[in-house]
Amino acid sequence: ENKYRIKDFLTRIKDKIDIIDGIQYKRVTIKTNHKGVLLRNITDGSDIGTKKQFKIKKGNFILSKIDARNGAFGIIPDELDDAIITGNFWTYEVDQNIVNIDLFLYLTNSFKFIDICKKASTGSTHRKYLSEDKFLNQIISIPEKEKQIEIVKIIKECKKLQDQIENNRNHGKQLMQAVLNEAFEN
């Protein structure tokens, strides 16, 4: 395993755009607790107050500087390519020569990564913001490329098992309800 500063594999992207009235823009929301990067809405430039924004690209990493400590980050999905964000969101290109993008996404869902974001957040209790410099200078261990691929395969198998267990649990609940319904229908 090699130790890297986060800035060694994340490069900030600042693709500035001036918002123009009469043009439709896709806007983004990032759910906390690692629940994804989603379309907030599509709206006309005349309805957007902040006229200086940033364009994002699919496949890049995005985070909310306000809610990163609460797991508000993810990989930008294809359908949000060229969407816009304010300065409260930061996007980064991931150097896949250092870290596999799938493994990086799994890593961001770990307690370790949340802890990194908490340590790099400053401010009062209700207004903590991620300090980019503190965040990017955090050190993290990253396995060799071959090991990363192996880890991703194992994680995907674990996720399949989790899904099967959840499906079985739901099926068991439905079956139990059917038995109870039949038992008390007479």
Side-chain angles (χ1 to χ4, degrees):
E1 294 197 356
N2 299 309
K3 295 202 181 283
Y4 292 92
R5 291 192 189 282
I6 291 176
K7 67 181 176 184
D8 294 335
F9 59 88
L10 289 185
T11 303
R12 178 87 180 268
I13 306 296
K14 293 182 183 179
D15 189 2
K16 295 178 183 175
I17 184 172
D18 291 321
I19 302 303
I20 300 168
D21 295 353
I23 293 179
Q24 297 289 306
Y25 296 93
K26 293 185 281 186
R27 298 195 297 176
V28 171
T29 189
I30 306 172
K31 298 284 188 181
T32 57
N33 301 314
H34 212 268
K35 298 283 190 221
V37 181
L38 306 169
L39 178 67
R40 176 176 155 197
N41 63 15
I42 299 174
T43 192
D44 189 275
S46 62
D47 295 325
I48 300 172
T50 306
K51 297 298 186 187
K52 302 277 186 202
Q53 298 218 11
F54 301 91
K55 219 170 22 166
I56 62 174
K57 290 286 175 211
K58 66 182 178 182
N60 283 344
F61 176 66
I62 187 170
L63 62 77
S64 163
K65 75 175 187 177
I66 298 168
D67 282 322
R69 70 187 192 287
N70 299 316
F73 36 69
I75 303 298
I76 299 166
D78 292 355
E79 63 270 16
L80 293 179
D81 194 41
D82 289 332
I84 59 167
I85 55 172
T86 66
N88 286 328
F89 297 105
W90 300 336
T91 59
Y92 298 87
E93 186 173 354
V94 180
D95 184 344
Q96 294 187 55
N97 292 315
I98 294 175
V99 64
N100 174 294
I101 193 77
D102 292 325
L103 183 62
F104 180 67
L105 184 59
Y106 291 135
L107 168 69
T108 63
N109 198 21
S110 70
F111 294 121
K112 181 170 181 57
F113 196 80
I114 297 289
D115 192 49
I116 285 171
C117 291
K118 285 179 180 176
K119 285 179 182 172
S121 294
T122 57
S124 65
T125 306
H126 298 293
R127 292 310 254 173
K128 286 190 175 229
Y129 295 100
L130 192 67
S131 162
E132 187 176 30
D133 190 51
K134 280 186 178 183
F135 171 69
L136 292 176
N137 280 297
Q138 294 289 315
I139 296 173
I140 194 162
S141 294
I142 298 177
E144 299 296 330
K145 289 294 283 184
E146 300 79 33
K147 183 82 171 164
Q148 291 181 42
I149 293 166
E150 193 177 309
I151 292 168
V152 168
K153 284 180 186 175
I154 293 168
I155 292 171
K156 286 182 178 179
E157 285 301 314
C158 290
K159 289 188 126 341
K160 279 184 197 173
L161 283 172
Q162 279 182 317
D163 290 346
Q164 287 173 347
I165 290 167
E166 190 59 34
N167 287 339
N168 288 342
R169 183 177 295 132
N170 290 336
H171 183 68
K173 286 179 185 177
Q174 291 170 352
L175 190 58
M176 185 175 70
Q177 286 301 316
V179 169
L180 288 170
N181 286 342
E182 190 170 314
F184 291 104
E185 276 186 5
N186 296 338

